[in-house]
Every structure is written in C-alpha cells, then in structure tokens.
Amino acid sequence: MIRNTSQGWGSISRWLHWSLALTIIGMIGFGWWMNHIPARPDRFFYRSIHADIGYVILLLTVLRLVWRLVNPTPTMPAETSRWQNVAAHVSHGALYLAVIVVTLLGWAHSGAHAPDYSDFVGLFHVPQFTAPDRAAAAAYEDRHILSAYVLLALIAVHVIAALWHHFIRRDRVVARMVTDEA
C-alpha cells in the first residue's frame, strides 16, 4: 500500500522514515568527523557535501510532514495508555522540530560563512538567508552542533522506545514501519 491506513504506514511514509533516519544518523557522524579532522585543504569540500545533504534532509522532512498531514496516522494498540500516546506525539514532534532546527541552523551558517556552501553539487546555488558575518557564522555553527547533539539524544529515545515496543510489549508497532503487514 502506498498510503497510510489506520492500521499501518504506507510505503511512502516508510521510505521517507528510513531514508531520513539513515541519512540523518550518517550526517551526524559525518559532521562529527569533519569537526575532528585536522585543518586541511579539502575541508571546504567536505563541508559543502555536508551542506548539500542537509538541504536534501530539510526538503525530505518538509515532504514527510506534508505527507503525514494528508494521510491518516496509524493508531496505537488498544492497550496503549494515555500517557504513552501523549509521549509518542510529543517525541515525534520533538524529532521533527529538531531536524528542522538543525538544518536551518546549518543553512544559516552556510550564508554567514565566507565563502558560503550554496553551490548544490555544481547544479545551482541554494539561496542563502543570512549575510556573510564571521561572528554570526561561528554562533550558527555552535548552535547547529549543539542542536545536532539534542537530535541525537531524541533519536536514542526513539530507538529505545522502538526496542521496548518490539521486544517487551511485542505489539507490532515497529513492524508497521518495516513492512506492509500490520
């Protein structure tokens, strides 16, 4: 099934979930590596790749949110308590918000950095919404890194909750994000 139902996630939602999950985790690792390698001539190249992937993550996240708005969200199992439903909604909202904040801070850093990281794999220039400013670039970069660590913590909570659902509750919540079978 392509679209979501009240029982399970559709293939588009699953594809967006796993594509973003793997890309975001990879980007956090790549970002950590970039900031811990000694200064070298190709550092700008790696930061440009990081920025390009960040722009794609922002676009896919917006598409995922739009898709989620026009599709039903599968219901939680009947035995799920109210506080668990609230926790699930809050944690998912926090994940979306953190992804958007991290990517927007990275984009702000790009525009404030001179030269900027607006060249998207040589195809076109991504419009920048900040102006070159060394102090602002450093501040955006610091906030980008801090918010990436917050995002990483939220991902850890999400994974722990998924493991709990799969191995402790055995309620098929995780299975719905893996396969068409609900």
Side-chain angles (χ1 to χ4, degrees):
M1 74 187 148
I2 292 175
R3 295 180 62 96
N4 302 345
T5 67
S6 62
Q7 300 303 310
W9 297 101
S11 57
I12 291 176
S13 292
R14 288 193 318 272
W15 183 85
L16 286 167
H17 175 272
W18 291 110
S19 298
L20 282 165
L22 294 172
T23 306
I24 289 167
I25 290 168
M27 281 287 279
I28 291 171
F30 186 52
W32 184 89
W33 174 79
M34 280 187 326
N35 286 322
H36 290 85
I37 60 171
R40 50 196 239 188
D42 58 356
R43 190 172 191 171
F44 184 83
F45 170 75
Y46 291 116
R47 286 178 170 246
S48 293
I49 291 171
H50 186 78
D52 291 347
I53 297 169
Y55 298 133
V56 172
I57 287 172
L58 180 59
L59 175 63
L60 288 177
T61 301
V62 169
L63 289 174
R64 183 165 185 212
L65 285 169
V66 168
W67 185 253
R68 190 169 172 145
L69 287 173
V70 299
N71 276 273
T73 300
T75 57
M76 293 294 279
E79 64 275 5
T80 305
S81 67
R82 178 166 164 66
W83 77 264
Q84 289 170 332
N85 276 318
V86 170
H89 287 294
V90 169
S91 65
H92 284 107
L95 276 167
Y96 286 121
L97 180 62
V99 170
I100 291 168
V101 167
V102 170
T103 56
L104 287 177
L105 286 168
W107 192 358
H109 172 256
S110 170
H113 188 272
D116 64 33
Y117 306 109
S118 67
D119 183 34
F120 188 81
V121 295
L123 298 174
F124 60 89
H125 286 278
V126 175
Q128 301 297 296
F129 62 90
T130 55
D133 180 325
R134 186 180 207 113
Y140 289 132
E141 184 177 28
D142 289 345
R143 286 168 179 81
H144 175 69
I145 292 168
L146 175 63
S147 61
Y149 281 117
V150 170
L151 175 57
L152 186 58
L154 290 168
I155 291 169
V157 168
H158 186 70
V159 169
I160 290 167
L163 292 171
W164 179 76
H165 275 282
H166 188 71
F167 291 109
I168 309 264
R169 299 235 9 229
R170 299 179 188 268
D171 59 11
R172 311 252 331 126
V173 166
V174 175
R176 297 184 309 186
M177 190 48 83
V178 177
T179 180
D180 274 334
E181 299 173 25

